[in-house]
């Protein structure tokens, strides 16, 4: 190599191995103390700066810690390899050699800032006018080499700190790993570019992964600093703008965590146990300690990790924590394998890689051996390094040497006249309509903010059900996500995607009642009563003629019911009505056949036929009340419901009134009262019945009958039992009004029957009519509480119809049984009694009534005298 600086390891080999003098580490990587800033210096015509986290952050008071293989040594060797390739290419930078000055940032921003001042020393003008040699001549000062551009750094916090210094001297900077979104600010970081996309792309990719897995409730975990905090901030902002994902908790890992800090973090994460998905933007040291704390808390398999590119496909964060990391989904910017680099890196040894001053330390750590040093006492328990073999089987680099190629192309296309690259060049200048091509054959591109396009590979760490445990590529993201979910597996090889949701989806017929301030959390409330689920947030009441479906996701028509002929509620009324009709018909036929016999004539043939017609209509109304409601049926109900009773009780009232008037008149005179002839009796009966008929006809004309469906009558609390009742448009009040006149006739008839109860039974039907009316009143008194007491019942239509028809049939049966069954019995079974008797004139009847009255009065007087005599004794 050209002019390797003496800052590296020096010494020669012996038979027993290599004897090398330590550079910055005195005593080796495990027990030595940090002695100060050292660097790799490679001479060249143009010098590039390099910043790499060769060491981890040291403990308190020590700037640097243990060596970092992947992020430090591997990436730095990638830059050295790129310099070799560029300097060996005659087409690229002809007659020009690239040199380098590479510094260790020790993963600490303040230390990196101190180191990077080396890059600007050549640009700082020093006043040496007052400095002279002893002989008076001006001194010969060695001017530091000028760094034209810087490759690095890794951590965003380091890049931000260094970029603020480099921009003051117009030194371009290209980072290979810094992804903080704020570095895209072209006003503040106009000399900064990067070959990795910013975290805003990464955050979008991670959000797309979360949504693809069906998660909507996650927590975030970030290392304190620009990278972690900016990454989480970008994720939170994008998720808030896109919607559909809520952040349960957003926690930060301190730069200097105290003992037990990570156990507290895990305990806090378990305060929201449903948020199993953890979005983690953290450095690999913090990732490892988070996994360790998870294992200590016995929560292996609970958390579902989604790691940023700082996790990527690295082994170090999950070493000895594989079970805890199983199923972790990680993001990594797309990489391409560099042909020849693996061979270069694995062939490095202590003999052929003396330019890397940290290589011996890496060698000791990688092979778990100890180099011999002058004056150092060998440790018996430690194997001695031979230094004769290469890194066969070593891991490939995690850094694409394309960065150095980009710098080389920038130098190739920019005139090398000593002028620095300007901010508008954004670290890479390219010929029109083309992009420089990296060593992997992929174009090197930057947008107007100096960012590389967002291209990521998606990995999942799989441990079980796989031949080789490790990271498996399961998708990629280039502006949109392509994820092979069928290739994913989770803790213990589970294939089903575990959930990370605040609330489980509501079932059919349930609405979401949102938790205030947390749009991904809700309580599920069942749409009750007659409500159905209109949308996921609303329950709506079904229209009055409908009821909700069984799962309450829609409304369906309410079934229509009516009193069926086969219903148990109809059997008894129909049986009574049929028996009554047959009986009434039999009585009428018997009376017609014996129309001129004394019993038929004595009972008042004309009124008897009217009364029997009314009784027949009363029985017949049962069939109209059960028949399917329609215009004709409803009209017939209105017409005949009260007409049969009106005819019956008009005839009975006329009879009792006639008897009462005859015998009342007989007490006063021997002349008969008026209107007692059959014609007069019929006229009175029809006149009384006409009131009912006229009223019904007026009702039919004013409010034409029609059928209705009553959905309120059987709208019970359980919608499944709800029914619409098909019935006529007759309310309970109109039904009572329809029967009111007939009931009035019945009461009036009962009053006359009571008044006529003293008339001798040999002369009239007063007593049978009286018994008939008394019984009828009892029937209807029982009807009233039953009918109105069931007005709120779901079975109202059935109970009221049955009660009404049975009450009417019973009242008709009472009239038929008490007034006509005895007569029919005599006519059929004792015809010898159905003979003409001596006719009595009205005068004889009146005399008999007077005599009967006097006898009653004398009997009363004798009883009173006997009582007095008994009292005297």
């Amino acid at each position: 190599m050209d002019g390797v600086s003496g800052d590296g390891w020096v010494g020669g080999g012996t038979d027993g191995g290599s004897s090398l003098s330590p550079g910055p580490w005195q005593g080796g990587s495990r027990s030595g103390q940090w002695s100060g800033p050292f660097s790799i210096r490679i001479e060249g015509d143009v010098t590039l700066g390099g910043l790499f986290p060769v060491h981890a952050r040291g403990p308190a008071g020590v700037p640097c810690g243990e060596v970092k293989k992947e992020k430090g040594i591997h990436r730095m060797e990638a830059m050295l390899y790129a310099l070799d390739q560029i300097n060996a290419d005659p087409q690229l930078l002809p007659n020009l050699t690239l040199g380098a000055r590479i510094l260790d940032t020790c993963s600490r921003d303040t230390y990196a800032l101190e180191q990077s001042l080396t890059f600007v020393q050549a640009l700082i003008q020093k006043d040496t006018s007052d400095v002279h040699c002893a002989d008076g001549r001006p001194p010969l000062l060695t001017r530091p080499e000028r760094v034209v551009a810087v490759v690095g750094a890794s951590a965003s916090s380091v890049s931000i700190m260094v970029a603020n210094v480099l921009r003051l001297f117009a030194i371009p900077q290209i980072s290979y790993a810094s992804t903080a979104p704020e570095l895209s600010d072209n006003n503040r970081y106009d000399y900064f570019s990067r070959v990795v996309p910013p975290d805003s792309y990464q955050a979008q990719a991670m959000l797309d992964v979360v949504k693809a897995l069906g998660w909507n409730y996650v927590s975030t975990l970030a290392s304190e600093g620009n990278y972690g905090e900016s990454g989480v901030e970008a994720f939170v902002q994008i998720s808030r703008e896109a919607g559909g994902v809520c952040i349960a908790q957003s926690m930060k890992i301190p730069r200097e965590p105290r003992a037990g800090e990570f156990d507290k973090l895990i305990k806090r994460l378990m305060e929201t146990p449903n948020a199993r998905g953890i979005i983690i933007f953290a450095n690999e040291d913090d990732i490892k300690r988070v996994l360790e704390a998870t294992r200590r808390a016995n929560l292996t398999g609970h958390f579902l990790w989604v790691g940023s590119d700082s996790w990527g496909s690295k082994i170090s964060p999950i070493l000895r924590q594989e079970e805890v990391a199983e199923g972790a989904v990680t993001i990594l910017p797309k990489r391409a394998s560099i042909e020849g680099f693996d061979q270069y890196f694995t062939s490095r040894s202590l003999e052929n890689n003396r330019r890397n001053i940290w290589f011996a330390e890496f060698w000791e750590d990688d092979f778990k051996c100890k180099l011999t040093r002058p004056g150092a006492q060998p440790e018996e328990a430690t194997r001695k390094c031979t230094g004769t073999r290469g890194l066969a089987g070593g891991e490939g680099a995690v850094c694409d040497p394309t960065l150095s190629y980009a710098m080389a192309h920038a130098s190739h296309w920019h005139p090398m006249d000593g002028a620095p690259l300007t901010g508008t060049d954004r670290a890479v200048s390219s010929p029109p309509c083309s992009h420089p091509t990296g060593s992997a054959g992929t174009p090197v591109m930057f947008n107007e903010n100096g960012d590389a396009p967002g291209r990521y590979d998606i990995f999942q760490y799989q441990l079980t059900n796989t031949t080789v445990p490790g990271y498996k590529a399961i998708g990629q993201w280039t502006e949109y996500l392509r994820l092979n979910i069928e290739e994913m597996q989770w803790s213990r090889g589970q294939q089903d995607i575990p959930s990370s949701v605040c609330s489980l989806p509501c079932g059919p017929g349930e609405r979401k009642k949102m938790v205030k301030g947390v749009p991904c959390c809700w309580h599920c409330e069942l749409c009750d009563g007659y409500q159905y689920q209109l949308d996921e947030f609303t329950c709506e009441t079904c229209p009055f003629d409908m009821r909700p479906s069984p799962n309450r996701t829609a409304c369906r028509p309410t079934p229509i019911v009516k009193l069926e002929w086969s219903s148990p509620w109809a059997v008894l009324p129909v049986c009574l009505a049929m028996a009554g009709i047959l009986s009434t018909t039999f009585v009428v036929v018997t009376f017609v056949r014996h129309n001129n016999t004394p019993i038929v004539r004595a009972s008042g043939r004309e009124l008897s036929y009217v009364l029997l017609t009314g009784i027949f209509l009363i029985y017949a109304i049962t069939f109209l009340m059960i028949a399917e409601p329609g215009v004709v049926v409803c009209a017939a109900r209105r017409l005949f419901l009260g007409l049969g009773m009106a005819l019956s009780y008009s005839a009975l009232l006329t009879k009792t009134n006639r008897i009462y008037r005859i015998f009342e008149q007989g007490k006063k005179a021997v002349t008969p009262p008026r209107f007692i002839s059959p014609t007069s009796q019929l006229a009175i009966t029809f006149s009384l019945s006409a009131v009912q008929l006229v009223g019904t006809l007026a009702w039919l004309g004013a409010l034409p009958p029609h059928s209705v469906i009553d959905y309120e009558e059987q709208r019970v609390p359980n919608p499944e039992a709800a029914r619409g009742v098909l019935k006529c448009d007759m309310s309970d009040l109109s039904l009572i009004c329809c029967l009111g006149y007939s009931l009035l006739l019945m009461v009036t008839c009962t009053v006359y029957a009571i008044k006529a109860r003293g008339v001798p039974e040999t002369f009239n039907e007063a007593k049978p009519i009286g018994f008939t009316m008394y019984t009828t009143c009892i029937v209807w008194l029982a009807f009233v509480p039953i009918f109105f007491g069931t007005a709120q019942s779901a079975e109202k239509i059935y109970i009221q119809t049955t009660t009404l028809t049975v009450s009417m049939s019973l009242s008709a049966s009472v009239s038929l049984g008490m007034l006509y069954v005895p007569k029919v019995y005599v006519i059929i079974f004792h015809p010898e009694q159905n003979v003409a008797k001596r006719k009595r004139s009205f005068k004889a009847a009146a005399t008999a009534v007077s005599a009967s009255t006097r006898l009653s009065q004398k009997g009363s007087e004798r009883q009173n005298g006997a009582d007095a005599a008994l009292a005297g004794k």
Side-chain angles (χ1 to χ4, degrees), residues 216 243-247 502 512 514-522 537:
N216 68 359
V245 175
C246 298
I247 309 301
C502 181
K512 292 179 180 179
M514 305 305 298
V515 175
K516 187 175 182 180
V518 189
C520 297
C521 299
W522 57 81
F537 302 106

Side-chain angles (χ1 to χ4, degrees), residues 532-594:
Y532 73 101
Q533 184 185 359
L534 179 64
D535 54 45
E536 61 178 337
F537 302 106
T538 310
C539 290
E540 190 76 18
T541 302
C542 288
F544 74 97
D545 59 343
M546 305 186 81
R547 60 176 179 168
S549 59
N551 61 4
R552 295 183 177 273
T553 56
C555 291
R556 53 181 175 156
T558 302
I560 308 302
V561 297
K562 61 181 183 65
L563 185 57
E564 301 290 344
W565 295 103
S566 58
S567 171
W569 295 99
V571 172
L572 177 62
V574 168
C575 290
L576 288 177
M578 291 182 66
I581 289 174
L582 292 176
S583 300
T584 304
T585 303
F586 180 75
V587 170
V588 170
V589 170
T590 302
F591 267 48
V592 169
R593 292 183 59 185
H594 302 85

Side-chain angles (χ1 to χ4, degrees), residues 359 500 644:
F359 192 74
S500 181

